Amino acid sequence: MSTISLLGSTGSIGRQSLDVIAACGMSVSAITANKSTALLEEQARQFRPKLVVAYDPEAAKDLQVRLADLPVRIASGMEGLVEAATMEEADTVLTSVVGMIGLKPTLAAIGAKKRIALANKETLVCAGELVMRSAEETGAEIIPVDSEHSALFQCLECNRDRGEVKRLILTASGGPFFGKTREQLAHVARADALKHPNWSMGAKITTDSATLMNKGLEFIEAMRLYRMPPEKIAITVHRQSIIHSMVEYCDNAVLAQMGVPDMRLPIEYALTYPRRAKAVAGELDLLRCPPLTFEEPDCDTFRCLALALEAAKQPGNPCAVLNGANEAAVGLFLEDKISFLQIADLVAYALEQVPKGPADTLEQVLAADAAAREAVKEGFGRL
Ligand code: MG
């Protein structure tokens, strides 16, 4: 039975992971969050990890008091995250923190040869080469938690020769604004963007799903994880989110992985692979399913997707710039400081402003990320 260090335990994926862990009777070695101390306390009392990390130092002080009666160590900051990612007891590190902050602990966990259940797509988007190279060096397994990549992982499993793969086909729900025009999107509110038709997720990824940046990031994530060139990855809008992605082989056979849209299914598979355990997610009733439809994505209306596909084709730092700029711009949108369409404007501005360069080392990736955030700040001032 696995012992899991769960980075980002209070977010949407983190909470669903704890559901799976409880249902499957696995143990938890560490939980981490930014500063949701009340929930961290509750989780610590239920799962009894050895280490609890609040990234925010003030929140860590609060936890010391809250958990004084438990035999638990409290830590904070990046050091705390790295400690959680590398602890002896853990065989699996589930990284569900949101954004670039997940990169260092993921690299540390890879260094410690842990199995990585990866739910932090930003890590692979920014530093895909670095992460995959490190994993090859240490032999650490990376099992994707993202539903599309888990689907691809499952459809690729039986295939020994990657040369037999013709295309990866990523499915996209299309988000809450599918079929809308740019004019209609000019005045959408934050609350509208946060209403996803099929999946229940956090604010950052739900916004990314509305702009389709999420699919762009997933395209880059698929390139890195499966070492596929961009011309061998296709995106199809599939509104029902029943097929989670497909692999087309050289003989034109297409394998699809299907299921109800419930993140607990890919989470569970990442934790139990290569076995399958119990049914935590619900059953797919094909007779009650809506008809399955497939359509082209609209890259003109959803410019974020076009920007991501463009960055994906370029070597070096553009993907890290894209990601950093997007994180900063989505932050501004969620604070009601910019409009929905301005997210793409600011990402495009950052991609123009930040000089191209390599992204082979952690320092280069972090520098590209910082420059992108700076460019968004500057671009915001000019709006
Ligand atoms: Mg996904």
Side-chain angles (χ1 to χ4, degrees):
M1 228 356 126
S2 310
T3 301
I4 295 140
S5 274
L6 177 53
L7 309 190
S9 66
T10 59
S12 172
I13 296 287
R15 283 178 279 126
Q16 296 182 76
S17 299
L18 288 173
D19 274 359
V20 171
I21 288 167
C24 295
M26 299 167 181
S27 7
V28 177
S29 41
I31 51 175
T32 84
N34 182 22
K35 52 182 168 189
S36 309
T37 49
L39 186 51
L40 270 177
E41 178 189 352
E42 195 184 301
Q43 293 176 341
R45 292 193 182 281
Q46 186 183 349
F47 291 92
R48 297 301 173 105
K50 278 184 80 174
L51 174 68
V52 178
V53 180
Y55 187 75
D56 180 80
E58 287 304 312
K61 280 184 203 153
D62 178 29
L63 274 176
Q64 292 282 11
V65 179
R66 286 173 178 266
L67 294 172
D69 61 313
L70 288 191
V72 64
R73 211 179 103 64
I74 312 288
S76 71
M78 185 52 76
E79 251 171 60
L81 293 186
V82 169
E83 185 182 342
T86 54
M87 47 197 294
E88 185 81 54
E89 293 81 357
D91 44 64
T92 301
V93 176
L94 199 159
T95 59
S96 59
V97 294
V98 178
M100 262 296 278
I101 197 166
L103 179 56
K104 272 189 195 168
T106 303
L107 286 172
I110 289 172
K113 301 188 188 176
K114 307 294 187 193
R115 167 182 287 187
I116 314 294
L118 188 75
N120 172 242
K121 68 186 67 166
E122 291 88 350
T123 295
L124 279 183
V125 170
C126 301
E129 270 312 307
L130 177 62
V131 169
M132 295 309 288
R133 203 191 326 124
S134 315
E136 266 161 33
E137 280 164 18
T138 68
E141 282 180 302
I142 298 183
I143 319 284
V145 166
D146 208 345
S147 62
E148 293 79 359
H149 304 80
S150 174
L152 294 172
F153 185 81
Q154 294 176 59
C155 295
L156 286 166
E157 236 182 272
C158 57
N159 177 54
R160 287 175 292 272
D161 182 357
R162 211 37 67 80
E164 292 173 359
V165 174
K166 186 159 124 191
R167 280 196 306 171
L168 306 180
I169 305 170
L170 277 173
T171 52
S173 72
F177 302 142
F178 178 75
K180 296 248 189 292
T181 61
R182 286 185 67 78
E183 292 67 41
Q184 290 170 318
L185 291 180
H187 302 292
V188 298
R190 197 177 87 116
D192 302 319
L194 291 181
K195 273 182 217 137
H196 196 277
N198 303 335
W199 295 97
S200 138
M201 305 176 292
K204 156 74 166 54
I205 184 171
T206 306
T207 308
D208 286 345
S209 297
T211 62
L212 294 200
M213 178 61 93
N214 184 52
K215 209 47 57 180
L217 298 178
E218 289 181 353
F219 184 97
I220 299 165
E221 189 184 0
M223 282 171 61
R224 305 291 189 246
L225 263 177
Y226 303 117
R227 302 242 181 241
M228 294 292 276
E231 62 276 14
K232 286 192 166 189
I233 307 177
I235 296 173
T236 181
V237 175
H238 165 53
R239 296 289 287 157
Q240 299 77 30
S241 300
I242 298 293
I243 294 182
H244 300 308
S245 278
M246 297 173 263
V247 176
E248 183 176 27
Y249 285 93
C250 55
D251 59 357
N252 288 342
V254 179
L255 301 194
Q257 189 261 332
M258 303 167 78
V260 295
D262 185 332
M263 281 309 296
R264 292 175 303 175
L265 209 157
I267 290 167
E268 181 178 350
Y269 192 62
L271 297 179
T272 61
Y273 170 81
R275 304 292 304 270
R276 290 184 187 269
K278 57 197 294 180
V280 180
E283 201 172 61
L284 174 63
D285 183 348
L286 283 171
L287 296 179
R288 283 167 199 273
C289 250
L292 304 186
T293 58
F294 304 94
E295 291 159 86
E296 287 278 355
D298 174 0
C299 286
D300 297 325
T301 304
F302 297 94
R303 265 181 80 214
C304 281
L305 179 57
L307 291 168
L309 298 184
E310 195 46 47
K313 288 187 213 149
Q314 300 171 44
N317 66 8
C319 289
V321 171
L322 173 94
N323 180 72
N326 182 57
E327 278 188 37
V330 169
L332 290 171
F333 174 72
L334 291 174
E335 290 167 20
D336 286 320
K337 289 184 176 156
I338 60 169
S339 73
F340 184 74
L341 293 176
Q342 283 172 334
I343 297 174
D345 295 343
L346 288 176
V347 173
Y349 181 76
L351 282 164
E352 280 163 24
Q353 294 299 310
V354 178
K356 305 262 185 297
D360 298 324
T361 65
L362 182 59
E363 291 68 34
Q364 287 166 340
V365 170
L366 294 176
D369 178 74
R373 287 167 198 267
E374 200 46 52
V376 167
K377 210 185 279 174
E378 197 230 325
F380 172 59
R382 290 163 173 248
L383 285 174

